[in-house]
Amino acid sequence: MSESKKFTDSGIEIKKVYFQDDLPKVPSPGGDLWEAPGTFPFTRGIQADMYRGKLWTMRQYAGFSTAEESNKRYHYLLSQGVNGLSVAFDLPTQIGYDSDHELAEGEVGKAGVAIDSIDDMRALFDGIKLQDVTTSMTINATAFILLSLYVAVAKEQGADLKKISGTTQNDILKEYAARGTYIYPPKPSMRIITDIFEWCSNELPKWNTISISGYHIREAGSTAVQEIAFTLSNGKAYVQAALEKGLDIDVFGKRLSFFFNAHNNLFEEVAKFRAARRMWAKMMRDLGATDPKAMMLRFHTQTGGSTLTAQQPLNNISRVTIQTIAAVLGGTQSLHTNGYDEALSLPTEEAARIALRTQQIVAYESGVADTADPLGGSYFVESLTNEVEEKAWKLIEKIDVMGGSVSAIEQGFIQNEIARSAYEYQRQIETGEKIIVGLNKFGVTDEQPIPIFKVNDTIRSLQIEKLRKLKANRDIATVDQCLQDLNDKASNGGNLIPSVIGALEHKCTLGEIADELRGVFGEHR
């Protein structure tokens, strides 16, 4: 009986065993295969000593209900050893609606925290010095508003804006391709993003102005190869837009970061991270970067939400552990680990603690952080890194022929490629070609329910009352003037960010600002 062939999730055939002859015979497309960590093209990591110098930032993505409730979770996580906050916003906040909008009904505080105004942002970080923490905010269409709120609260705290550090996801292209929480059409959305680049370069120099996200592309069903190809192609589009605005690639390039997924195929995931670093370094060099720091691919990782099963959810602890190890072996700069119960609900406090402990056990007990790029030189991993890279370049070349990511999205190419891969993956699960433990094999009949986290349905009423009080205690003439100033800037050119900060400081709401710009830019359909 012949032995069946094995493939990665991206369809790369895996040999039974690898030898020295499987290593690349020529330098990689990015540069010499055997470079040291911390040197171009950064295949082996962006820091020479990697985690011996500093461990990755351990973030736990959290946000639910009201700002006051989320604030309690942040204080708990900080007390348990988290060294960076990561904020989840509810769906109305993500798409620019205040909690009292009719389309917000049923969604307020559910998928994340509800933020309508400066009052909410102030409560979200009550007792937390923004100059002393790094904060990642998973927000895209309204990223410019949430960043402005963060800056306004930091100013109230007396923080030095030159020392404020963190990241706004701010990646709108993947919303059109994979996730759907966009507001404005692509061109004005790109204008807003380059306004953020420009303003932060001068006023918030330590802030990562965008986290170009492959995570949601993967969650939508892409392969590992598609994840990095589409993500790096989107990154290229942002860089080109910034260059067209006259910004210096060696300045804004240092403030770009990426956000990737970690799935269960350990070696393909490690190869994916290594290949992505090498590809981005070459891409930035070709776009004109000369400072090596502007060529470094810095990335945050989150373990794969779509890999979690509602069946036998405690099995997810093992999945998250594998994905954590993959991210660390791949050289991530920060990491969020999912709770085992997230296929059922937002994570309970216990699940969030176990997820954090998973990172801490890998960091302090496993030994994988003791040397840079531990799998470097592996016949298998080096061969796989090259194969992932080669396939990803071919996809990027197709997108370039179409005119870049914006055109490829407008033509539906990226969406169709993701949909095709998602269909094939699901087909393999349903036919049993791909085994998911506890789902299509090794099931149990006497599974016991686990406690789940529920958000109180009265949250919307609380938020509506807060909005009523805010609006009763503001100068409406000043509000109107702030919104008119924003409209003028949007219509006639000029950076939007100072006007947004001023409007928020004078108690304009997130929804009012988003709506003012809807009137200028329109909505994407």
Side-chain angles (χ1 to χ4, degrees):
M1 183 176 176
S2 61
E3 184 179 306
S4 61
K5 292 183 176 181
K6 296 285 186 182
F7 297 89
T8 71
D9 291 341
S10 296
I12 297 171
E13 186 174 352
I14 302 172
K15 297 180 182 182
K16 186 171 66 174
V17 65
Y18 286 75
F19 296 98
Q20 189 170 354
D21 287 347
D22 293 301
L23 293 173
K25 305 298 188 297
V26 295
S28 76
D32 185 359
L33 172 66
W34 304 116
E35 87 284 349
T39 59
F40 183 91
F42 311 108
T43 311
R44 307 198 66 193
I46 63 170
Q47 302 295 339
D49 54 357
M50 283 306 290
Y51 304 130
R52 288 174 73 142
K54 181 185 177 184
L55 287 174
W56 62 93
T57 300
M58 298 183 193
R59 300 189 189 278
Q60 286 305 113
Y61 185 49
F64 58 90
S65 184
T66 63
E68 290 81 2
E69 287 299 312
S70 291
N71 176 262
K72 292 176 187 175
R73 178 67 68 90
Y74 296 158
H75 279 283
Y76 170 75
L77 289 170
L78 289 167
S79 75
Q80 294 296 305
V82 159
N83 47 18
L85 298 175
S86 183
V87 184
F89 298 97
D90 72 357
L91 193 57
T93 303
Q94 292 181 47
I95 54 178
Y97 294 128
D98 289 335
S99 297
D100 58 1
H101 194 285
E102 61 182 2
L103 293 179
E105 187 171 355
E107 291 292 345
V108 176
K110 294 295 177 70
V113 62
I115 300 293
D116 295 321
S117 71
I118 193 168
D119 287 351
D120 288 327
M121 201 66 157
R122 194 181 291 124
L124 186 66
F125 293 105
D126 184 43
I128 299 170
K129 292 293 185 184
L130 299 187
Q131 190 171 304
D132 298 337
V133 298
T134 66
T135 303
S136 173
M137 294 189 282
T138 303
I139 194 75
N140 298 288
T142 54
F144 66 108
I145 304 175
L146 273 299
L147 175 60
S148 297
L149 281 168
Y150 194 84
V151 168
V153 171
K155 286 168 66 179
E156 287 183 354
Q157 293 184 356
D160 179 352
L161 295 187
K162 305 293 186 191
K163 296 179 180 178
I164 294 292
S165 62
T167 305
T168 29
Q169 189 165 108
N170 199 27
D171 176 5
I172 202 64
L173 291 179
K174 68 95 173 49
E175 297 295 332
Y176 303 117
R179 191 164 174 267
T181 62
Y182 42 72
I183 301 176
Y184 314 112
K187 286 185 173 61
S189 293
M190 293 292 279
R191 178 255 177 104
I192 292 170
I193 287 170
T194 55
D195 278 0
I196 294 173
F197 287 2
E198 181 181 53
W199 187 83
C200 288
S201 291
N202 297 318
E203 306 296 333
L204 218 65
K206 293 183 71 176
W207 193 266
N208 294 322
T209 50
I210 193 168
S211 177
I212 305 154
S213 176
Y215 184 84
H216 304 97
I217 289 170
R218 192 68 177 279
E219 289 293 284
S222 81
T223 65
V225 165
Q226 290 171 332
E227 180 188 353
I228 61 168
F230 298 154
T231 305
L232 297 184
S233 184
N234 288 349
K236 183 177 182 180
Y238 293 125
V239 170
Q240 289 171 329
L243 290 171
E244 287 169 10
K245 192 161 183 162
L247 301 183
D248 185 342
I249 191 171
D250 283 328
V251 175
F252 74 80
K254 298 174 188 175
R255 303 264 53 99
L256 305 178
S257 67
F258 288 80
F259 174 26
F260 290 123
N261 212 314
H263 275 216
N264 290 328
N265 192 315
L266 177 71
F267 294 105
E268 182 175 47
E269 294 301 296
V270 173
K272 176 190 78 178
F273 297 133
R274 299 172 90 248
R277 263 195 302 273
R278 195 154 75 195
M279 293 172 71
W280 184 246
K282 179 177 184 292
M283 194 177 281
M284 288 295 278
R285 182 187 63 184
D286 292 348
L287 286 165
T290 57
D291 188 331
K293 290 185 177 180
M295 305 176 200
M296 293 178 178
L297 184 144
R298 305 162 184 82
F299 69 100
H300 170 72
T301 310
Q302 182 174 339
T303 57
S306 61
T307 68
L308 305 179
T309 62
Q311 299 80 7
Q312 302 178 42
L314 289 174
N315 292 344
N316 294 327
I317 297 174
S318 298
R319 293 186 176 101
V320 170
T321 302
I322 292 168
Q323 294 161 11
T324 299
I325 292 170
V328 173
L329 290 172
T332 194
Q333 273 63 66
S334 73
L335 178 62
H336 163 84
T337 35
N338 288 330
Y340 66 82
D341 53 1
E342 289 191 54
L344 300 167
S345 69
L346 292 172
T348 60
E349 197 168 277
E350 179 199 44
R353 183 175 64 250
I354 291 172
L356 175 60
R357 293 291 181 258
T358 300
Q359 292 202 51
Q360 291 165 334
I361 289 168
V362 169
Y364 298 107
E365 297 185 28
S366 73
V368 299
D370 290 347
T371 189
D373 191 32
L375 294 181
S378 156
Y379 301 148
F380 178 34
V381 170
E382 296 294 358
S383 175
L384 194 53
T385 300
N386 265 42
E387 290 191 77
V388 167
E389 181 181 8
E390 183 180 352
K391 285 180 174 288
W393 279 125
K394 286 179 180 177
L395 272 174
I396 290 172
E397 287 164 9
K398 286 184 180 181
I399 293 169
D400 286 344
V401 168
M402 294 179 189
S405 274
V406 175
S407 295
I409 289 166
E410 290 174 341
Q411 294 174 48
F413 171 74
I414 292 176
Q415 299 93 310
N416 290 338
E417 289 291 303
I418 294 169
R420 191 177 297 113
S421 296
Y423 172 82
E424 176 59 21
Y425 187 80
Q426 186 62 30
R427 185 197 65 77
Q428 290 177 2
I429 291 173
E430 292 182 7
T431 61
E433 293 173 52
K434 183 167 188 63
I435 294 170
I436 307 296
V437 173
L439 178 64
N440 62 0
K441 197 165 186 177
F442 312 115
V444 295
T445 56
D446 58 345
E447 190 166 353
Q448 297 298 309
I450 64 167
I452 62 172
F453 184 86
K454 290 185 177 180
V455 174
N456 194 313
D457 286 328
T458 63
I459 298 307
R460 184 166 186 250
S461 298
L462 294 172
Q463 287 298 115
I464 290 173
E465 178 59 20
K466 286 199 285 184
L467 280 165
R468 187 194 66 76
K469 289 181 179 178
L470 174 89
K471 291 177 180 179
N473 290 283
R474 63 183 189 174
D475 183 336
I476 192 63
T478 303
V479 167
D480 290 343
Q481 182 57 52
C482 286
L483 294 175
Q484 184 58 52
D485 178 56
L486 182 61
N487 189 299
D488 292 343
K489 285 277 180 66
S491 301
N492 303 321
N495 196 297
L496 293 173
I497 305 305
S499 296
V500 175
I501 294 172
L504 292 165
E505 288 176 330
H506 287 96
K507 301 185 180 181
C508 293
T509 70
L510 173 137
E512 288 170 337
I513 291 170
D515 279 347
E516 193 68 33
L517 295 182
R518 281 183 175 97
V520 179
F521 298 143
E523 290 189 83
H524 182 71
R525 301 291 184 187

